[in-house]
Amino acid sequence: MAHSSRSFKDAMFKLFRPSKTRAAFRATIERLYGAIVAQSRREAFYTDFGVPDTLEGRFEMVLLHTILVCHRLKDGVEAERALSQGVFDTFASDMDRTLREMGIGDLSVPKKMKKIGGAFYGRAAAYDTALAAQDDGLLTAALARNIFETDADARPVSALAAYVRAAVRELAATPFESLARGELSLPRPEGDARLTS
Protein backbone atom coordinates (compact mmCIF):
# COMPACT_ATOMS: atom_id res chain seq x y z
CA MET A 1 0.00 0.00 0.00
CA ALA A 2 1.33 3.45 -0.91
CA HIS A 3 1.69 5.83 1.99
CA SER A 4 2.15 9.57 2.25
CA SER A 5 4.89 11.69 0.76
CA ARG A 6 8.45 11.37 2.00
CA SER A 7 8.30 14.80 3.62
CA PHE A 8 5.38 13.68 5.77
CA LYS A 9 7.14 10.43 6.66
CA ASP A 10 10.23 12.39 7.68
CA ALA A 11 8.07 14.70 9.76
CA MET A 12 6.41 11.75 11.48
CA PHE A 13 9.78 10.19 12.21
CA LYS A 14 10.84 13.42 13.90
CA LEU A 15 7.50 13.66 15.67
CA PHE A 16 7.94 10.20 17.16
CA ARG A 17 11.40 10.79 18.58
CA PRO A 18 10.82 9.84 22.22
CA SER A 19 13.24 12.48 23.50
CA LYS A 20 11.19 15.27 21.94
CA THR A 21 7.56 14.26 21.98
CA ARG A 22 7.21 11.28 24.28
CA ALA A 23 3.96 12.60 25.77
CA ALA A 24 2.37 13.17 22.35
CA PHE A 25 3.43 9.73 21.15
CA ARG A 26 2.10 8.15 24.35
CA ALA A 27 -1.23 9.93 23.91
CA THR A 28 -1.50 8.63 20.34
CA ILE A 29 -0.80 5.08 21.46
CA GLU A 30 -3.31 5.32 24.29
CA ARG A 31 -6.01 6.52 21.87
CA LEU A 32 -5.26 3.70 19.43
CA TYR A 33 -5.20 1.03 22.11
CA GLY A 34 -8.34 2.44 23.70
CA ALA A 35 -10.09 2.14 20.33
CA ILE A 36 -8.83 -1.45 19.99
CA VAL A 37 -10.26 -2.39 23.38
CA ALA A 38 -13.55 -0.59 22.69
CA GLN A 39 -13.95 -2.43 19.38
CA SER A 40 -13.10 -5.75 21.00
CA ARG A 41 -15.85 -5.24 23.60
CA ARG A 42 -18.65 -4.64 21.09
CA GLU A 43 -21.61 -6.73 22.17
CA ALA A 44 -22.25 -8.12 18.68
CA PHE A 45 -19.10 -10.23 18.83
CA TYR A 46 -20.51 -12.12 21.80
CA THR A 47 -24.10 -12.33 20.56
CA ASP A 48 -24.29 -12.30 16.75
CA PHE A 49 -20.85 -13.84 16.19
CA GLY A 50 -20.91 -16.29 19.08
CA VAL A 51 -17.51 -15.43 20.54
CA PRO A 52 -17.46 -16.91 24.07
CA ASP A 53 -18.36 -14.17 26.54
CA THR A 54 -15.66 -15.27 28.94
CA LEU A 55 -12.37 -13.86 30.17
CA GLU A 56 -10.62 -15.96 27.54
CA GLY A 57 -12.99 -14.91 24.75
CA ARG A 58 -12.59 -11.23 25.54
CA PHE A 59 -8.81 -11.63 25.75
CA GLU A 60 -8.79 -13.28 22.32
CA MET A 61 -10.75 -10.39 20.81
CA VAL A 62 -8.36 -7.79 22.22
CA LEU A 63 -5.49 -9.94 20.95
CA LEU A 64 -7.07 -10.24 17.49
CA HIS A 65 -7.64 -6.50 17.09
CA THR A 66 -4.17 -5.65 18.41
CA ILE A 67 -2.69 -8.03 15.85
CA LEU A 68 -4.77 -6.51 13.04
CA VAL A 69 -3.54 -3.00 13.83
CA CYS A 70 0.06 -4.20 14.13
CA HIS A 71 -0.39 -6.10 10.84
CA ARG A 72 -1.31 -2.80 9.16
CA LEU A 73 1.73 -1.00 10.56
CA LYS A 74 4.55 -3.50 10.97
CA ASP A 75 5.93 -3.45 7.42
CA GLY A 76 5.76 0.32 6.95
CA VAL A 77 8.32 3.07 7.37
CA GLU A 78 10.10 3.62 10.67
CA ALA A 79 7.33 5.80 12.14
CA GLU A 80 4.75 3.10 11.34
CA ARG A 81 6.88 0.39 12.91
CA ALA A 82 7.34 2.60 15.99
CA LEU A 83 3.56 2.95 16.24
CA SER A 84 3.15 -0.83 15.91
CA GLN A 85 5.69 -1.42 18.66
CA GLY A 86 3.97 1.14 20.86
CA VAL A 87 0.61 -0.59 20.42
CA PHE A 88 2.14 -3.94 21.31
CA ASP A 89 3.92 -2.51 24.36
CA THR A 90 0.66 -0.97 25.59
CA PHE A 91 -1.14 -4.28 25.09
CA ALA A 92 1.57 -6.02 27.16
CA SER A 93 1.34 -3.38 29.91
CA ASP A 94 -2.44 -3.73 29.97
CA MET A 95 -2.18 -7.51 30.33
CA ASP A 96 0.39 -7.15 33.12
CA ARG A 97 -1.85 -4.70 34.97
CA THR A 98 -4.90 -6.93 34.48
CA LEU A 99 -3.10 -9.95 35.90
CA ARG A 100 -2.10 -8.00 38.99
CA GLU A 101 -5.63 -6.68 39.43
CA MET A 102 -6.87 -10.28 39.29
CA GLY A 103 -4.65 -11.04 42.27
CA ILE A 104 -1.87 -12.89 40.45
CA GLY A 105 1.23 -12.72 42.64
CA ASP A 106 4.40 -10.92 41.59
CA LEU A 107 6.31 -14.18 41.19
CA SER A 108 3.69 -15.64 38.84
CA VAL A 109 3.14 -12.58 36.63
CA PRO A 110 6.33 -13.05 34.52
CA LYS A 111 5.35 -16.66 33.74
CA LYS A 112 1.83 -15.60 32.77
CA MET A 113 3.21 -12.76 30.64
CA LYS A 114 5.52 -15.19 28.86
CA LYS A 115 2.47 -17.26 27.92
CA ILE A 116 0.63 -14.14 26.75
CA GLY A 117 3.62 -13.13 24.64
CA GLY A 118 3.72 -16.61 23.12
CA ALA A 119 -0.01 -16.39 22.40
CA PHE A 120 0.45 -13.03 20.67
CA TYR A 121 3.30 -14.14 18.42
CA GLY A 122 1.75 -17.53 17.65
CA ARG A 123 -1.58 -16.02 16.66
CA ALA A 124 0.05 -13.16 14.79
CA ALA A 125 2.01 -15.67 12.69
CA ALA A 126 -1.12 -17.72 11.96
CA TYR A 127 -3.29 -14.71 11.08
CA ASP A 128 -0.54 -13.03 9.03
CA THR A 129 0.01 -16.23 7.04
CA ALA A 130 -3.71 -16.62 6.33
CA LEU A 131 -4.14 -12.95 5.38
CA ALA A 132 -1.08 -12.93 3.12
CA ALA A 133 -2.23 -16.10 1.37
CA GLN A 134 -5.79 -14.78 0.96
CA ASP A 135 -6.78 -18.23 2.21
CA ASP A 136 -10.17 -18.27 3.94
CA GLY A 137 -9.58 -21.88 4.97
CA LEU A 138 -6.43 -20.93 6.87
CA LEU A 139 -8.13 -17.91 8.43
CA THR A 140 -11.24 -19.76 9.59
CA ALA A 141 -9.08 -22.59 10.96
CA ALA A 142 -6.97 -20.13 12.95
CA LEU A 143 -10.02 -18.30 14.30
CA ALA A 144 -11.78 -21.56 15.16
CA ARG A 145 -8.74 -22.88 17.00
CA ASN A 146 -7.88 -19.73 18.91
CA ILE A 147 -11.22 -18.06 19.61
CA PHE A 148 -14.04 -20.58 19.29
CA GLU A 149 -12.34 -23.89 20.02
CA THR A 150 -14.77 -25.40 17.54
CA ASP A 151 -15.02 -26.72 13.98
CA ALA A 152 -13.75 -24.31 11.31
CA ASP A 153 -16.93 -24.89 9.27
CA ALA A 154 -19.18 -23.48 11.99
CA ARG A 155 -21.20 -20.45 10.88
CA PRO A 156 -19.94 -18.04 13.58
CA VAL A 157 -16.36 -18.70 12.49
CA SER A 158 -17.18 -17.79 8.90
CA ALA A 159 -18.91 -14.62 10.07
CA LEU A 160 -15.89 -13.55 12.11
CA ALA A 161 -13.55 -14.38 9.21
CA ALA A 162 -15.61 -12.07 6.96
CA TYR A 163 -15.36 -9.36 9.61
CA VAL A 164 -11.57 -9.79 9.83
CA ARG A 165 -11.26 -9.44 6.05
CA ALA A 166 -13.40 -6.28 6.18
CA ALA A 167 -11.27 -4.90 9.03
CA VAL A 168 -8.05 -5.55 7.11
CA ARG A 169 -9.45 -3.73 4.06
CA GLU A 170 -10.53 -0.76 6.16
CA LEU A 171 -7.19 -0.56 7.95
CA ALA A 172 -5.32 -0.79 4.65
CA ALA A 173 -7.37 2.14 3.34
CA THR A 174 -6.72 4.23 6.46
CA PRO A 175 -4.01 6.84 5.84
CA PHE A 176 -1.08 6.70 8.21
CA GLU A 177 -1.78 10.33 9.10
CA SER A 178 -5.05 9.21 10.71
CA LEU A 179 -3.41 6.43 12.70
CA ALA A 180 -0.65 8.84 13.75
CA ARG A 181 -3.37 11.01 15.30
CA GLY A 182 -4.67 8.00 17.20
CA GLU A 183 -7.73 7.62 14.95
CA LEU A 184 -8.84 4.06 14.28
CA SER A 185 -11.59 3.11 11.85
CA LEU A 186 -12.96 -0.43 11.89
CA PRO A 187 -16.20 -1.94 10.55
CA ARG A 188 -19.18 -2.43 12.85
CA PRO A 189 -19.58 -6.14 13.72
CA GLU A 190 -23.23 -6.45 12.72
CA GLY A 191 -23.48 -9.97 11.36
CA ASP A 192 -22.08 -11.89 8.41
CA ALA A 193 -24.83 -10.81 6.01
CA ARG A 194 -23.51 -7.23 6.12
CA LEU A 195 -19.84 -8.15 5.95
CA THR A 196 -19.70 -10.07 2.70
CA SER A 197 -20.26 -7.16 0.31
Side-chain angles (χ1 to χ4, degrees):
M1 172 183 171
H3 295 294
S4 312
S5 67
R6 181 170 180 79
S7 61
F8 177 77
K9 291 174 185 175
D10 292 342
M12 292 311 299
F13 176 66
K14 290 176 184 175
L15 173 67
F16 287 162
R17 285 181 183 167
S19 62
K20 297 215 173 178
T21 57
R22 185 171 295 160
F25 180 69
R26 187 78 241 156
T28 293
I29 295 298
E30 291 294 341
R31 283 194 299 273
L32 278 178
Y33 187 69
I36 286 170
V37 172
Q39 181 77 0
S40 302
R41 290 177 176 169
R42 284 186 179 271
E43 184 179 358
F45 287 124
Y46 308 96
T47 55
D48 300 351
F49 288 77
V51 172
D53 191 4
T54 60
L55 186 64
E56 292 78 12
R58 289 178 178 268
F59 165 75
E60 288 292 346
M61 292 308 293
V62 172
L63 192 58
L64 173 64
H65 285 95
T66 301
I67 288 168
L68 291 178
V69 171
C70 290
H71 176 83
R72 159 66 177 82
L73 293 164
K74 68 184 179 65
D75 294 324
V77 297
E78 189 160 355
E80 290 171 296
R81 296 194 304 273
L83 206 58
S84 177
Q85 185 65 50
V87 168
F88 171 78
D89 291 345
T90 302
F91 162 79
S93 294
D94 183 37
M95 294 300 106
D96 184 283
R97 182 173 57 254
T98 299
L99 289 172
R100 294 178 192 279
E101 288 173 354
M102 290 170 59
I104 305 297
D106 288 345
L107 294 177
S108 297
V109 168
K111 293 177 184 177
K112 298 280 188 184
M113 286 303 299
K114 186 174 181 180
K115 288 183 179 179
I116 288 172
F120 180 92
Y121 289 111
R123 286 153 178 72
Y127 296 148
D128 283 353
T129 297
L131 293 170
Q134 292 292 312
D135 189 323
D136 285 341
L138 284 176
L139 182 57
T140 55
L143 293 170
R145 180 175 63 251
N146 295 319
I147 296 176
F148 294 95
E149 297 183 0
T150 189
D151 193 299
D153 292 330
R155 184 175 177 273
V157 185
S158 297
L160 187 59
Y163 164 81
V164 168
R165 292 287 184 196
V168 168
R169 288 193 298 272
E170 193 154 334
L171 285 166
T174 301
F176 177 56
E177 296 93 327
S178 297
L179 294 169
R181 290 191 297 267
E183 299 169 2
L184 186 61
S185 177
L186 289 167
R188 292 179 64 84
E190 296 181 318
D192 55 338
R194 301 185 194 185
L195 293 171
T196 55
S197 58

